[in-house]
Amino acid sequence: MFDSYSGYRLVGRIILLLILIVVVGLLFDSLASVLLVSASVWLIWHYRQLMRLNYWLWRDKRLTPPQGRGSWEGVFNGIYRLQQKNRKKISQLMAILGRFRQGGEALPDAAVVLDADRNILWCNRLAQLLLGLEWPKDKGQRLDNLLRHPDFIQYINHENYNLPLELPSPIADGKLLELRLIAYGDSQLLLIARDISRIRQLESMRRDFVANVSHELKTPLTVLQGYVEVMQSMAEDDDINQRPLKLMQQQTERMGHMIEQLLTLSRIEAAEDSDLRQQVDMDKLRALLEQEAQALSLEQHKIEFDWQPGLWVLGDSVQMQSACSNLLTNAIRYTPVGGSIKVSWQRVYQGARFYVQDSGEGIARKHISRLTERFYRVDSARSRHTGGSGLGLAIVKHALNHHHSQLDVVSALGKGSQFSFTISHQLLTAPGTLTAENSPSVI
Ligand code: ADP
């Protein structure tokens, strides 16, 4: 529709005009005057074209430029072409933005995009429903001015967003949200919030179910165990029933142990928010562990204790005992007779470290990450033989979680294993002090 720029045409026109001026100048025998007049006319004409262009750029409402003449035709058309290109780009960008927004709206989670100063750039509909944001009213507002929960303020200021934060929804009663901040681009943040009330409810139902069933199984099992014992005492030594009765006794004992472990696990899980104020007498715990080790090993292993006295913990004594005892009994159960076991509790740079090192069978690398799963056993037959329930390390994991610690396992097949955990400085205390608050002697 518009002619494009042509350098040849422009040069051709200038040459033609110059020839015309020279011919007219020669005709009238006044080349200088004709040159002056035509240069002035030429200048005025160009000035007029410039004004037309200015008017169209700044005032005119029309999208198409006025018809350019002469050398100005290319300029007018070029500007129009650039304008069209930009318009096309803008509409493409708008389409991409629209698609991005539609995608954001289709997310099953609430999403909020924040700039480097934590101001809201965009949020989807779920963010309005779950977090109480108003769109577009809250656009440009700082998110921590709108979500005032202290945990959230601490989380967003902490700038370590590896772990998610659980928070009650500020507007929907009874809804629990899991918030995750993701840093991206040029210090921008993406907040993703998901409703986890249903998951938590199911978890709690599962916990209650396991706890109730385990509890209900205890009474009939005790009756069974009682009768088996009575029948064993009544049967003569050479009675053919002695063997089946012995087996029954072993299996009911195993079942009893499993129920106890299930109940312990349920109790530890239920005590999710236990505050860590109790003083755990680690020296008493050492004595208990020694007794337990003697009773289980029956002097068939070489057991060594390397224990720093007076290094107590602020926490839950039952849970700490469960954790240490499970690790020690595992070491004894999975170390062949004659093997050696070392138990250590010592101050280290990060706090205090407990470890149990054994010279037992060891664990292949592929199993290590799954050891703390419920009922996970490396070798079911061997576990059954050693009286294992597959719950011991799950108990250890939960007990340690409550003490802000985690289980570390180093093991190699045939070379033994080391199970360890570290309790941080904040949870260490000296004997005799009562709580974290009133204790000046947190060491
Ligand atoms: P279990 O009651 O079966 O011992 P645990 O949860 O305590 O269950 O341990 C899970 C599995 O980890 C065990 O079945 C065992 O195979 C392996 N395991 C735990 N401790 C040791 C250890 N000290 N040496 C070798 N294997 C171990």
Side-chain angles (χ1 to χ4, degrees):
M1 147 188 172
F2 288 100
D3 284 347
S4 61
Y5 166 79
S6 163
Y8 291 121
R9 204 187 310 151
L10 200 63
V11 173
R13 274 181 191 158
I14 291 172
I15 292 171
L16 252 175
L17 208 64
L18 281 175
I19 293 171
L20 198 71
I21 291 169
V22 171
V23 171
V24 174
L26 289 176
L27 262 180
F28 288 95
D29 197 19
S30 172
L31 190 58
S33 321
V34 172
L35 252 177
L36 189 70
V37 171
S38 41
S40 309
V41 171
W42 206 4
L43 204 65
I44 291 168
W45 182 82
H46 275 294
Y47 194 69
R48 198 179 120 65
Q49 298 304 319
L50 201 64
M51 277 174 61
R52 286 177 72 213
L53 177 64
N54 246 333
Y55 180 80
W56 175 64
L57 284 175
W58 292 96
R59 299 266 167 83
D60 207 344
K61 297 237 168 10
R62 282 178 303 166
L63 292 178
T64 45
Q67 187 64 47
R69 288 185 196 106
S71 51
W72 284 89
E73 193 179 356
V75 177
F76 277 64
N77 294 350
I79 292 175
Y80 181 63
R81 194 166 143 261
L82 268 182
Q83 231 186 8
Q84 269 187 325
K85 254 185 170 171
N86 279 348
R87 237 176 260 139
K88 205 168 154 196
K89 273 227 172 83
I90 288 171
S91 67
Q92 274 171 353
L93 282 177
M94 293 301 283
I96 292 173
L97 195 65
R99 277 203 292 275
F100 164 76
R101 285 203 169 157
Q102 278 170 5
E105 290 296 351
L107 279 176
D109 302 325
V112 187
V113 180
L114 306 173
D115 66 13
D117 296 324
R118 289 147 196 190
N119 298 322
I120 299 174
L121 295 177
W122 176 80
C123 72
N124 66 1
R125 214 174 61 83
L126 264 178
Q128 298 164 50
L129 292 178
L130 293 178
L131 299 170
L133 301 180
E134 289 179 38
W135 186 259
K137 195 176 139 219
D138 291 338
K139 189 176 174 185
Q141 297 262 16
R142 268 185 76 112
L143 184 64
D144 41 358
N145 283 344
L146 301 172
L147 294 183
R148 298 295 306 158
H149 197 288
D151 289 354
F152 179 72
I153 307 276
Q154 200 185 353
Y155 180 62
I156 201 166
N157 288 333
H158 201 251
E159 293 190 356
N160 175 10
Y161 308 131
N162 292 339
L163 294 175
L165 169 76
E166 285 184 17
L167 210 66
S169 165
I171 52 159
D173 260 357
K175 272 203 193 315
L176 188 65
L177 305 179
E178 185 188 77
L179 272 64
R180 190 178 279 276
L181 274 166
I182 302 153
Y184 74 100
D186 196 10
S187 322
Q188 300 196 52
L189 287 174
L190 173 67
L191 174 80
I192 296 285
R194 89 175 32 151
D195 181 1
I196 52 163
S197 332
R198 180 92 187 114
I199 299 172
R200 286 288 172 273
Q201 198 185 356
L202 287 173
E203 270 175 13
S204 137
M205 274 165 66
R206 196 241 326 132
R207 270 205 301 269
D208 290 351
F209 174 77
V210 173
N212 290 340
V213 169
S214 313
H215 194 75
E216 290 304 316
L217 280 174
K218 259 178 104 170
T219 319
L221 191 67
T222 316
V223 174
L224 258 177
Q225 275 173 328
Y227 276 113
V228 170
E229 269 171 36
V230 171
M231 285 163 77
Q232 266 183 318
S233 66
M234 281 167 54
E236 300 291 332
D237 282 351
D238 55 353
D239 195 324
I240 51 159
N241 288 330
Q242 268 301 359
R243 202 177 126 68
L245 282 173
K246 177 86 187 143
L247 278 175
M248 281 165 78
Q249 184 229 339
Q250 281 173 352
Q251 292 306 317
T252 47
E253 250 176 35
R254 214 183 127 222
M255 209 191 278
H257 174 65
M258 212 179 264
I259 288 174
E260 278 309 326
Q261 295 273 64
L262 274 173
L263 282 171
T264 309
L265 188 56
S266 303
R267 266 196 297 271
I268 294 181
E269 276 187 325
E272 205 71 77
D273 296 324
S274 64
D275 56 353
L276 305 166
R277 307 268 174 89
Q278 224 180 325
Q279 270 207 324
V280 185
D281 180 343
M282 292 301 282
D283 302 317
K284 200 161 138 197
L285 180 59
R286 174 204 168 137
L288 285 173
L289 291 178
E290 273 179 329
Q291 276 173 20
E292 213 173 343
Q294 271 166 18
L296 197 64
S297 161
L298 298 170
E299 299 195 345
Q300 291 171 329
H301 304 88
K302 184 175 164 288
I303 304 178
E304 181 195 341
F305 274 78
D306 173 24
W307 203 273
Q308 182 165 339
L311 199 54
W312 289 16
V313 169
L314 283 171
D316 185 308
S317 46
V318 177
Q319 293 183 19
M320 278 301 285
Q321 188 184 333
S322 277
C324 298
S325 153
N326 269 302
L327 295 181
L328 179 56
T329 49
N330 273 354
I332 297 173
R333 285 191 296 125
Y334 295 107
T335 300
V337 171
S340 58
I341 291 157
K342 183 173 175 187
V343 185
S344 167
W345 172 243
Q346 288 291 338
R347 188 198 295 270
V348 289
Y349 177 69
Q350 301 94 329
R353 182 164 180 260
F354 176 90
Y355 75 79
V356 179
Q357 169 94 49
D358 65 54
S359 64
E361 59 199 49
I363 307 161
R365 179 190 275 264
K366 64 176 179 184
H367 296 294
I368 291 182
S369 60
R370 302 195 58 193
L371 288 180
T372 53
E373 285 174 20
R374 268 158 237 231
F375 299 110
Y376 187 82
R377 287 139 168 180
V378 173
D379 176 352
S380 314
R382 175 146 173 74
S383 257
R384 212 171 298 124
H385 174 70
T386 56
S389 62
L391 291 167
L393 293 181
I395 293 175
V396 175
K397 177 184 153 182
H398 279 89
L400 293 182
N401 273 352
H402 284 181
H403 293 81
H404 312 309
S405 179
Q406 63 182 41
L407 185 64
D408 294 315
V409 185
V410 181
S411 186
L413 265 185
K415 291 194 178 152
S417 320
Q418 189 189 73
F419 287 76
S420 66
F421 62 83
T422 303
I423 298 290
S424 71
H425 284 293
Q426 286 86 357
L427 292 185
L428 292 181
T429 179
T433 47
L434 278 175
T435 66
E437 280 98 37
N438 72 12
S439 163
S441 56
V442 172
I443 52 176

